[in-house]
Amino acid sequence: MSGRWAGSNRRSELPPDWQSRIRPFVLARDEHRCRNRIDGRICGRTANQVDHIGDKHDHRPEMLQALCEDCHNRKSSRQGNDARWAARMQRPAERHPGLL
């Protein structure tokens, strides 16, 4: 299995009551509707996932939103790509092998 939770330690970073209290509360509050904005409009499809709006360690309900699987996958992919590019931009330029 690739992607998603494979090789991730995210579950261990979530509070113990994530599945029993926090996640169900956010989904109910958002009426199980995706809150992602696409071209300025709320997606509105059936949400089955809870996403951190900002800091991934801030589990307050006001910092969480319900998302559909497609929107959550897109957002997570974009964040992963942004992190990869940020790391790549920090590496020093490699010297040309012919100049060593």
Side-chain angles (χ1 to χ4, degrees):
M1 182 173 129
S2 64
R4 303 191 186 189
W5 288 94
S8 173
N9 66 344
R10 260 319 261 145
R11 283 191 205 270
S12 65
E13 296 174 353
L14 296 172
D17 60 347
W18 177 260
Q19 289 291 340
S20 62
R21 190 181 67 78
I22 298 171
R23 186 177 181 279
F25 173 81
V26 173
L27 289 171
R29 178 199 67 198
D30 292 348
E31 299 175 346
H32 289 267
R33 293 286 169 209
C34 181
R35 297 298 177 204
N36 189 41
R37 292 197 170 269
I38 302 171
D39 297 326
R41 296 175 52 201
I42 291 178
C43 171
R45 288 186 288 179
T46 301
N48 60 355
Q49 306 198 9
V50 173
D51 173 61
H52 290 79
I53 296 170
D55 179 10
K56 68 180 184 175
H57 298 292
D58 188 350
H59 307 299
R60 293 176 296 152
E62 59 268 19
M63 296 306 296
L64 300 169
Q65 64 183 344
L67 292 181
C68 67
E69 185 174 5
D70 289 342
C71 287
H72 197 210
N73 288 343
R74 256 193 310 280
K75 181 181 178 196
S76 296
S77 178
R78 186 174 56 249
Q79 288 172 329
N81 288 332
D82 290 347
R84 243 185 320 282
W85 275 105
R88 183 175 288 169
M89 300 307 287
Q90 291 178 357
R91 287 192 294 209
E94 295 180 20
R95 293 185 59 193
H96 189 281
L99 299 176
L100 296 176

